[in-house]
Amino acid sequence: MTIEKSPDAFRTISEVAEELNVPQHVLRFWETRFTQIKPMKRAGGRRYYRPADVELLKGIHELLYKKGYTIRGVQLVLKEEGAPYVSGIGRGEVMARKSELAILGAPQPGTAKVAPRLGRATPGRNVDQAPKVIHKLSTNQSDALRAALKDLGDARKLLDPRG
């Protein structure tokens, strides 16, 4: 028999992770990417999320998982619109605008195409004979790619205990 918590009660990381259906390490990672997420930490580092923290996390989850935003895209929304706006998305009171995706040059969800594999050996063709393809990225695309690579590198550092 579980006891229902009051809506005003603080939540543990396991409770929030279960509510959002994400692993706990994702919430810890989001704390490194979104400075607006500030759970209270008790002795031993145990996290307690306030109701406002949970609403913000729900908004971030909605943007990342359901609207197809990138980490950088959500950071931009938080910077331009503020945490109350994203929390409103989490409560279902605000509909997310999709224009922020275009600012970063990211494709709309479900429209990205698989990149061709170059340099792969095929019958009758040597890897060394792969065509030379040069692509010019726009400044926005280049910046978005750098930010994504930095996010991936930071995530790797967090997830790899060997550093």
Side-chain angles (χ1 to χ4, degrees), residues 48-81:
Y48 290 94
Y49 294 89
R50 299 168 189 87
D53 296 324
V54 176
E55 287 177 357
L56 179 60
L57 288 166
K58 286 179 180 178
I60 290 170
H61 182 270
E62 174 79 14
L63 292 172
L64 290 172
Y65 286 77
K66 296 180 182 164
K67 300 297 182 191
Y69 281 63
T70 61
I71 295 273
R72 182 74 184 113
V74 176
Q75 288 170 335
L76 186 63
V77 172
L78 283 163
K79 180 180 178 185
E80 291 184 354
E81 303 291 340

Side-chain angles (χ1 to χ4, degrees), residues 76-141:
L76 186 63
V77 172
L78 283 163
K79 180 180 178 185
E80 291 184 354
E81 303 291 340
Y85 173 82
V86 176
S87 293
I89 292 170
R91 289 188 304 273
E93 298 171 359
V94 176
M95 293 300 296
R97 294 187 296 269
K98 294 191 178 188
S99 62
E100 290 87 355
L101 284 173
I103 292 170
L104 293 176
Q108 294 291 327
T111 62
K113 294 184 176 101
V114 175
R117 292 189 173 256
L118 300 177
R120 194 170 70 181
T122 56
R125 190 174 97 195
N126 187 329
V127 173
D128 296 330
Q129 297 171 335
K132 303 287 184 217
V133 179
I134 299 173
H135 293 281
K136 177 108 172 119
L137 297 175
S138 71
T139 303
N140 284 346
Q141 290 171 324

Side-chain angles (χ1 to χ4, degrees), residues 10-64:
F10 285 29
R11 305 278 192 266
T12 64
I13 192 168
S14 61
E15 291 170 327
V16 176
E18 185 176 326
E19 185 173 346
L20 295 177
N21 196 28
V22 298
Q24 293 177 24
H25 71 266
V26 169
L27 297 177
R28 288 189 212 88
F29 175 70
W30 287 355
E31 284 179 40
T32 69
R33 291 289 161 257
F34 307 110
T35 58
Q36 297 84 355
I37 302 172
K38 296 176 186 155
M40 193 174 80
K41 292 186 184 174
R42 301 295 273 197
R46 189 167 171 91
R47 291 165 169 79
Y48 290 94
Y49 294 89
R50 299 168 189 87
D53 296 324
V54 176
E55 287 177 357
L56 179 60
L57 288 166
K58 286 179 180 178
I60 290 170
H61 182 270
E62 174 79 14
L63 292 172
L64 290 172

